[in-house]
Amino acid sequence: DFIIYMKNKLYSGKQTISILELLSTYRSVLMGVAILWIMFYHAPTIITNPILQLIKNRGFIGVDIFLFVSGYGLYHALLKKESIQTFYKKRFWRIFPAFFIVVTINYILSPHINFTDYLIELTTLGIWFQRPFYAWYISILVLLYALFPFYMTFFLKKPRLITCITILICFIISFIYIWIRPTSSIYLINRIPIFVTGIFFAYLAKNNAKMTTWKNSVRTSIIFLLLSIILKSLLSRKSG
């Protein structure tokens, strides 16, 4: 179905492509691929095939897929024109009940985690203070969800400019962190670019951007993705 859909879109002779429809239809597929990739990345298995080993080593891209889809989806959630209070309330109930249960069970089953670290982990702020943490992805989501409404007030005025400035600032901060003071919070900062890229692609889809605009945006996104991979490689070497 996916291949037939893409053939119809690419060879229909139209100047625009319904990326909104494509991502909306296959969003679950993207998230499923991301989950499998992340699980493969963390699997304690020995891989002898060099291609599979390369794919396994790049499993962190699964997180980037999740964040891209999240940014894409949040842009369209914004179009519902719900209040900021409603926006935060929905995200809170989607994240924290399950997060509280997981963190609490981990605290009970892990004698090396003290009560102070448990409380800090519940706030999702442990990653910023170099405390023991494992749910860093939740820390990323909470930060991005908290900043999203404020970011959009600037983004909607100059979408392309704000996206590029945000990404460049994140990369500059990431390089500074890596070479001067490499800390765990770098995992949050260097994931912001893929999130705002998802927002920008949703904006293009909603406004029926021309194919040439899509091509330029895809090229730019590939460059930023390569920079992000380089940053992660540098961080791994610095940490090692």
Side-chain angles (χ1 to χ4, degrees):
D1 291 342
F2 176 76
I3 296 176
I4 295 175
Y5 176 87
M6 287 303 297
K7 284 184 177 179
N8 292 336
K9 287 296 181 181
L10 292 174
Y11 297 103
S12 62
K14 296 181 180 180
Q15 294 300 313
T16 59
I17 185 170
S18 181
I19 300 296
L20 171 60
E21 180 183 352
L22 181 64
L23 286 178
S24 298
T25 303
Y26 295 98
R27 182 180 178 183
S28 297
V29 175
L30 282 174
M31 298 183 76
V33 170
I35 291 173
L36 292 176
W37 202 350
I38 294 171
M39 291 175 63
F40 184 45
Y41 175 70
H42 289 287
T45 55
I46 299 176
I47 306 296
T48 57
N49 186 292
I51 296 178
L52 289 178
Q53 185 62 51
L54 179 63
I55 295 174
K56 187 177 189 298
N57 292 341
R58 296 294 178 269
F60 55 78
I61 297 177
V63 176
D64 295 327
I65 294 175
F66 264 102
L67 293 176
F68 176 87
V69 174
S70 295
Y72 191 95
L74 283 182
Y75 177 86
H76 294 289
L78 182 73
L79 300 180
K80 298 177 182 179
K81 297 182 178 179
E82 60 186 16
S83 66
I84 293 181
Q85 291 82 357
T86 301
F87 173 84
Y88 285 139
K89 185 183 296 184
K90 285 184 178 180
R91 273 70 204 176
F92 176 87
W93 288 111
R94 287 179 183 177
I95 295 176
F96 280 98
F99 179 63
F100 171 78
I101 293 174
V102 171
V103 173
T104 301
I105 293 176
N106 183 69
Y107 168 68
I108 295 173
L109 299 179
S110 303
H112 63 280
I113 299 179
N114 59 53
F115 187 69
T116 301
D117 288 334
Y118 163 71
L119 293 178
I120 293 177
E121 186 71 27
L122 282 178
T123 67
T124 73
L125 298 177
I127 192 171
W128 296 104
F129 299 103
Q130 302 304 296
R131 306 292 294 221
F133 73 96
Y134 55 89
W136 57 269
Y137 179 71
I138 300 300
S139 297
I140 294 175
L141 282 185
V142 171
L143 173 67
L144 295 177
Y145 287 173
L147 296 178
F148 177 76
F150 304 99
Y151 173 80
M152 291 304 294
T153 59
F154 298 99
F155 173 85
L156 293 175
K157 296 177 182 178
K158 295 285 185 179
R160 189 183 301 274
L161 178 63
I162 295 301
T163 300
C164 290
I165 290 176
T166 302
I167 292 175
L168 287 175
I169 290 175
C170 288
F171 280 132
I172 291 173
I173 294 175
S174 295
F175 274 113
I176 293 175
Y177 261 71
I178 289 174
W179 294 111
I180 298 179
R181 188 172 178 266
T183 63
S184 56
S185 54
I186 190 68
Y187 290 107
L188 279 71
I189 297 172
N190 66 12
R191 251 54 186 250
I192 294 177
I194 192 65
F195 178 76
V196 298
T197 299
I199 295 174
F200 183 65
F201 269 68
Y203 164 80
L204 292 178
K206 184 61 180 178
N207 291 276
N208 296 318
K210 294 182 179 180
M211 182 61 73
T212 53
T213 303
W214 277 104
K215 288 180 179 178
N216 292 334
S217 298
V218 169
R219 291 193 190 102
T220 303
S221 298
I222 291 174
I223 293 174
F224 285 135
L225 177 60
L226 291 175
L227 285 174
S228 180
I229 293 175
I230 292 173
L231 278 173
K232 292 178 178 66
S233 299
L234 288 174
L235 179 61
S236 297
R237 294 180 182 179
K238 195 77 173 180
S239 300

